[in-house]
Amino acid sequence: MRVAFVGKGGSGKSAIAGTFARALARRGEPVLTIDSDPMPGLAFSLGLEVVEDAVLDDAVVERQEGEEGPRFRLRPGLTVAEAIEQYAAVGPDGVRFLQFGKLRGHVASLFRSQLAFREITHGLPPNGRWNVVGDLPGGTRQPFAGWGDYAHTFIIVVEPSAKSLLAARRLAKLASGDRGPKVVGVANKVSDAGDTDLVRERSGLEVIASIPWDEALAEAERNAKAPIDYAPESPAVRAVELLVARLIEEG
Amino acid sequence: MKLAVVGKGGSGKTTTAAVIARTLARRGMSVVALDCDTNPNLGISLGVGDEETERLIAMRQALDEGQEEHTPTWDQLVDRFGSDAPDGVRLAVVTRIENPEPG
């Protein structure tokens, strides 16, 4: 499966994506996780030591004068599969992790790494071996600029709050357009059934999971620990495991 | 004074900015609140409501799509792309969203 988590900033995308990826990997599936946030946080939620550098710089070469095509492309001889093997960090449960780079100073310093990253995510073979779990930055800009186009399903993480719902309604429009990926909602930080109903009604989305407000998760975040390591029995982690099971069943 | 509120997603920027704007206005200052977020929802925290917030976003998008003309001056911008919030705060959505760079 290939999913990308989107939603308003702070809605819980990274915590859910990291837990989702680990739970999927524990079922024996090969999992590639992708963090395209210039202020990345997925590594924490996966339980990886923080990946320090934008390592992708040397994966691309710049177009020479007179050549056609995009300004940067993968180094000749380097396939997408090899690039993943070489550049994606190895995390717990065998999860692989590709990070687009950390913002240091001006955004232009990330340019080369970003384009290498995009070459890899856009070049993923349609029926390749990897399950893909992506974590996009909060808001609408990256999703609508095609940075999550590797995903077959966009999962919008929605808190029961007016601002989160507003972002969700805008993100729901990802379903329109030519490629028309599947777009579903996950209600997060839910206190009661009324919250889930609120998310369903006010986002207009099919809500496929309801993740409870869980102090253990907040504590994991405080301590920079992966929720699945810190609180494996917690209700929120259990709910994410159910979400994984549901998506596997649906194929 | 001119303030900009920044921080990570979900940290409470919008809520903080809105409370500052309303508080200054209640002290008698004239306040313009600028929403520069690519996901603009300052209107909700200022108290103009869902519908008006979405109307401002739609208008900002219409500008990108060439259905609205840009304004020549700052005052006109705040006038055309703005809305009146409680306590006399004037809200304007001035997001720069035509830049396809991520982040």
Side-chain angles (χ1 to χ4, degrees):
Chain A
M1 72 174 81
R2 289 193 193 181
V3 300
F5 287 88
V6 296
K8 189 186 172 306
S11 58
K13 292 176 296 298
S14 297
I16 295 174
T19 307
F20 185 98
R22 292 278 303 274
L24 184 58
R26 284 183 178 184
R27 292 167 164 258
E29 297 277 344
V31 178
L32 173 66
T33 58
I34 293 179
D35 190 351
S36 57
D37 195 333
M39 303 286 275
L42 180 60
F44 287 116
S45 302
L46 280 169
L48 256 158
E49 292 298 312
V50 175
V51 180
E52 259 308 316
D53 277 301
V55 288
L56 289 167
D57 289 26
D58 69 333
V60 284
V61 291
E62 193 161 1
R63 180 185 59 212
Q64 299 299 305
E65 221 171 300
E67 280 181 347
E68 300 280 308
R71 180 163 164 209
F72 288 95
R73 59 191 160 76
L74 286 181
R75 209 169 59 217
L78 182 69
T79 65
V80 167
E82 287 163 353
I84 293 167
E85 287 305 331
Q86 279 182 35
Y87 293 100
V90 182
D93 297 323
V95 169
R96 303 300 296 268
F97 173 70
L98 198 63
Q99 179 172 281
F100 145 119
K102 218 175 273 184
L103 189 58
R104 289 206 182 81
H106 194 264
V107 76
S109 64
L110 268 180
F111 195 58
R112 200 181 163 99
S113 165
Q114 283 170 1
L115 290 170
F117 178 94
R118 197 158 160 138
E119 285 289 293
I120 294 169
T121 59
H122 280 54
L124 282 163
N127 298 306
R129 65 183 289 256
W130 294 105
N131 291 279
V132 179
V133 179
D135 183 21
L136 272 68
T140 49
R141 183 190 273 185
Q142 260 205 19
F144 282 106
W147 285 82
D149 282 0
Y150 51 80
H152 301 153
T153 306
F154 280 96
I155 300 176
I156 307 179
V157 180
V158 198
E159 286 177 77
S161 80
K163 284 181 275 188
S164 195
L165 285 160
L166 174 62
R169 285 197 293 277
R170 299 181 67 204
L171 286 163
K173 293 176 188 152
L174 284 166
S176 53
D178 311 339
R179 294 173 304 273
K182 192 173 178 199
V183 178
V184 296
V186 164
N188 192 27
K189 304 181 194 172
V190 162
S191 296
D192 55 38
D195 279 346
T196 307
D197 291 341
L198 181 80
V199 167
R200 186 178 293 114
E201 282 157 22
R202 302 244 329 257
S203 71
L205 291 165
E206 179 196 358
V207 174
I208 60 165
S210 200
I211 299 168
W213 166 257
D214 191 336
E215 186 53 35
L217 219 69
E219 219 173 284
E221 302 250 282
R222 254 177 236 130
N223 294 294
K225 299 277 192 254
I228 203 168
D229 294 325
Y230 191 83
E233 310 290 332
S234 67
V237 170
R238 288 285 184 238
V240 174
E241 286 168 348
L242 281 177
L243 172 63
V244 171
R246 173 168 178 163
L247 288 178
I248 286 175
E249 258 172 49
E250 288 178 358
Chain B
M1 71 176 85
K2 292 181 182 174
L3 300 175
V5 180
V6 299
K8 189 186 176 309
S11 58
K13 293 178 292 298
T14 303
T15 307
T16 305
V19 174
I20 291 173
R22 295 267 311 255
T23 305
L24 291 174
R26 284 183 178 186
R27 296 171 71 123
M29 301 173 85
S30 60
V31 180
V32 172
L34 298 177
D35 197 339
C36 311
D37 198 321
T38 52
N39 188 37
N41 53 28
L42 181 57
I44 290 174
S45 294
L46 278 171
V48 305
D50 267 13
E51 269 179 37
E52 181 62 7
T53 302
E54 297 209 52
R55 189 188 70 82
L56 289 175
I57 296 168
M59 205 152 63
R60 178 62 190 82
Q61 270 168 348
L63 176 69
D64 275 353
E65 286 155 12
Q67 295 157 4
E68 284 269 355
E69 297 229 339
H70 216 315
T71 58
T73 70
W74 198 88
D75 283 335
Q76 286 174 24
L77 181 145
V78 171
D79 191 45
R80 174 107 60 93
F81 297 98
S83 180
D84 284 321
D87 298 326
V89 173
R90 182 72 186 175
L91 163 69
V93 174
V94 295
T95 313
R96 183 171 165 226
I97 46 183
E98 69 285 349
N99 178 2
E101 286 255 311

